[in-house]
Amino acid sequence: MKIGIVGATGYGGAELLRILQAHPEFSITSLYTSSQKGKNIEEHYPHLTGLFPQKLEEINPVKMAEETDLIFLATPSGISSKLAPELVENGCSVIDLSGDFRIKNQAKYEQWYKKEAADLFWIEEAVYSLPELNREKVKGAKFISNPGCYPTATILGLAPLVKENLLAENSIIIDAKSGVSGAGQSASLATIYSELNENLKVYKVNQHQHIPEIEQMLESLGYKSPITFQTHLIPMTRGIMATIYGRIDTKITKEEIWDLYQQFYSDEPFVRLRKLGSFPTTKEVTGSNFCDIGLDFDERTSRVTIVSVIDNLMKGAASQAVQNANIMFGLEETLGLQFSPVYP
């Protein structure tokens, strides 16, 4: 199948190139850009020298749909809202890695993203897909909205407990930390070396745009209360750790909770559950499509602690998009993604 990528010069786009280069069923035929037409990708990323001969092409939805079977939109929010519908209307399948179609309520999108929302028809048309929870909706779909990085780690960490209605209302607190690649390539005072090195920063306190996405998905699983969600920037390149707290009022043991998670994710190829007493680190999933989860339950406080880690550029973006593409086209879900994390 012929694959096109919009936003190949971003970090998520570069990871798509790395993954798809070795995919047995997908062939990268076209790379598109809004500002670097005619250049080679290696001029932006020297590590790709000699690997992709295609010149970067201008964005023309009609021509793009004629050239490709599937286009990945690895663009900042606000671009896909106009581009994705044109591509789908012209017969091309689309997987959007931005946040433009994740929030199904237009007013909430505009409140949290500070941008004009996409047309309601296309918001409803886009299938929001965290594969472990709604892969059946993806099969045969033409338009996928890929989840955000923080929501992926958080929702996978909470889903088994939420689906069993074990968490008390208004008790979920998420303390999430991310590497700096999540901020993209644009330089800012917050992400320059002298500000970030040997430092730890909280940001977007009670204002992060992934809050409504997490709440929307948790509500679909049965949890109706708002959450407390705080994010921190740490001095590393990639990785997310979400440390999640919630209260369980039902009489239960940590062993029973662990068994619940084991059963819930027993057939999931990309979710790995740690044994009780063991917790994952971000480096243990670097460069992979894995989400690793560890947990504990404090009977003294009735609070469960869940630690969920992913690579924000992979399971949080590019490799999850390829996982969705595999499902979309009826391929083996793990195809092209069966590689181990990069360690150390």
Side-chain angles (χ1 to χ4, degrees):
M1 278 170 277
K2 297 177 181 178
I3 305 299
I5 300 173
V6 179
T9 56
Y11 290 141
E15 285 293 69
L16 281 170
L17 289 171
R18 182 173 69 88
I19 298 164
L20 293 171
Q21 182 193 22
H23 197 288
E25 296 291 339
F26 296 146
S27 175
I28 300 171
T29 58
S30 306
L31 306 177
Y32 302 101
T33 179
S34 59
S35 60
Q36 300 186 53
K37 176 188 174 183
K39 291 185 177 180
N40 286 98
I41 191 69
E42 63 194 48
E43 294 181 56
H44 190 86
Y45 286 124
H47 74 285
L48 299 178
T49 296
L51 298 179
F52 300 96
Q54 307 95 331
K55 299 283 187 182
L56 292 165
E57 303 175 45
E58 66 181 351
I59 295 173
N60 181 325
V62 175
K63 183 172 181 289
M64 292 162 70
E66 291 174 351
E67 294 174 340
T68 59
D69 300 304
L70 168 65
I71 288 184
F72 291 92
L73 298 179
T75 60
S77 295
I79 296 174
S80 297
S81 60
K82 302 294 189 295
L83 181 56
E86 292 186 74
L87 291 169
V88 177
E89 284 180 330
N90 281 283
C92 185
S93 295
V94 171
I95 296 181
D96 178 32
L97 279 72
S98 82
D100 283 357
F101 298 93
R102 295 173 187 158
I103 310 303
K104 299 306 179 181
N105 182 302
Q106 288 176 301
K108 280 190 177 180
Y109 174 88
E110 292 178 352
Q111 174 190 349
W112 291 90
Y113 278 82
K114 313 301 181 187
K115 298 179 187 294
E116 181 183 355
D119 184 271
L120 184 59
F121 173 84
W122 290 106
I123 293 174
E124 294 175 346
E125 193 75 7
V127 177
Y128 179 88
S129 176
L130 186 57
E132 289 75 11
L133 298 179
N134 53 358
R135 61 169 55 84
E136 290 303 315
K137 295 181 180 179
V138 180
K139 296 176 180 177
K142 293 283 292 181
F143 183 18
I144 301 297
S145 177
N146 212 55
C149 50
Y150 281 125
T152 294
T154 300
I155 295 165
L156 289 177
L158 283 166
L161 289 173
V162 172
K163 288 207 75 172
E164 291 298 318
N165 196 32
L166 288 172
L167 290 171
E169 292 183 4
N170 296 303
S171 73
I172 293 178
I173 299 172
I174 301 112
D175 181 330
K177 299 174 178 64
S178 175
V180 72
S181 61
Q185 294 180 1
S186 299
S188 71
L189 180 62
T191 59
I192 61 174
Y193 180 83
S194 56
E195 290 289 327
L196 186 62
N197 183 49
E198 297 182 357
N199 203 1
L200 179 62
K201 296 184 177 184
V202 65
Y203 69 101
K204 293 186 178 179
V205 175
N206 297 324
Q207 297 178 28
H208 201 284
Q209 69 271 17
H210 285 167
I211 290 174
E213 181 181 344
I214 296 169
E215 291 181 341
Q216 175 181 271
M217 194 62 190
L218 292 180
E219 184 174 353
S220 74
L221 297 174
Y223 188 83
K224 309 298 184 183
S225 301
I227 61 169
T228 296
F229 176 78
Q230 308 300 359
T231 54
H232 305 76
L233 197 59
I234 59 178
M236 67 181 190
T237 301
R238 60 166 82 199
I240 281 178
M241 176 179 283
T243 305
I244 307 162
Y245 308 95
R247 194 177 75 254
I248 299 177
D249 292 334
T250 306
K251 186 173 178 59
I252 196 169
T253 67
K254 65 179 68 177
E255 289 78 14
E256 289 172 325
I257 296 173
W258 189 86
D259 286 342
L260 172 65
Y261 273 72
Q262 189 177 43
Q263 293 170 20
F264 193 91
Y265 288 124
S266 61
D267 295 325
E268 294 299 339
F270 295 117
V271 178
R272 304 189 298 187
L273 184 62
R274 296 302 172 87
K275 292 181 179 180
L276 280 174
S278 175
F279 293 90
T281 70
T282 55
K283 190 176 282 290
E284 291 159 357
V285 297
T286 296
S288 79
N289 194 48
F290 289 116
C291 173
D292 285 7
I293 298 173
L295 59 87
D296 193 60
F297 179 63
D298 186 349
E299 296 180 20
R300 185 179 61 88
T301 62
S302 297
R303 285 200 171 272
V304 63
T305 299
I306 307 150
V307 178
S308 177
V309 299
I310 63 169
D311 183 325
N312 58 293
L313 296 178
M314 293 291 288
K315 184 61 173 169
S319 60
Q320 180 152 253
V322 175
Q323 185 181 356
N324 274 321
N326 286 338
I327 300 169
M328 175 189 281
F329 288 104
L331 303 173
E332 171 58 43
E333 190 169 329
T334 60
L335 202 62
L337 297 170
Q338 295 168 304
F339 41 78
S340 62
V342 177
Y343 196 92

